[in-house]
Amino acid sequence: MLNYWVNELGEYCLSCQPSNIERPSVSLKSLHTSGHDVEIAVSSRAGLAGFAGFHTSVLIGGEEYYFSSTGIHCSHKLVSHKEASQATRCYVGVSQGSGKELLDFFAEHFRAGSYDFLRKNCNSFTDCALYFLCEERLPLRYRAMERVGSWADGQMGIVRSISQGEYVPNPKAEDFCLEDVLQEI
């Protein structure tokens, strides 16, 4: 069991590919598999190599989809990562689902104003989006810090104390249950 946690939390994504690695052209790939390429983009928060957690987003055919305090957003390029050039892109697979279908399905689950740094954040959205598109989960190493933080804050208010009141749980995220959303998919 310890080996599982070490591997899950400590190893880098082995399917991550630097952007300079060649991939089959879309026209060649479409002869064999139709659909949209799906990737995740990952960057560490506060430049602490993941110690403060990670920011993630999903790319569908090169368009970025991400969740923030103002809801779900879409951009034709990578914009949600402060240093886009430092974000790692990991290829996940090909999906029959489109960005429009993703937005339509998750519009009610990830509304503007419902973001919570620990309980309902970009990683929650990326995890759900990956499952919706490719039936894959966001690796635990990218969502572990907020899970630990959420548990610790719920038990003893640790995050609220450490942040000197900057973190305040969002009541609009109180009823959010990631597993319920995944089951709905």
Side-chain angles (χ1 to χ4, degrees), residues 116-119 149-150 153 159-161 163-170:
D116 183 282
F117 184 73
L118 296 176
R119 298 180 294 169
S150 181
D153 197 66
V159 177
R160 284 176 274 183
S161 177
S163 72
Q164 298 177 341
E166 290 219 14
Y167 170 70
V168 177
N170 184 345

Side-chain angles (χ1 to χ4, degrees), residues 36-41 57-66 73-80 89 98-100 102-103 125 133:
H36 309 278
D37 282 343
V38 176
E39 301 172 273
I40 58 170
S57 60
V58 65
L59 292 98
I60 306 169
E63 290 187 328
E64 182 185 32
Y65 294 81
Y66 62 97
H73 298 275
C74 174
S75 176
H76 67 281
K77 64 180 185 173
L78 203 58
V79 297
S80 74
R89 291 172 68 157
S98 68
K100 181 182 179 336
L102 179 86
L103 291 173
F125 172 74
L133 295 164

Side-chain angles (χ1 to χ4, degrees), residues 34-54:
S34 62
H36 309 278
D37 282 343
V38 176
E39 301 172 273
I40 58 170
V42 180
S43 56
S44 60
R45 290 183 177 146
L48 298 173
F51 183 73
F54 292 93

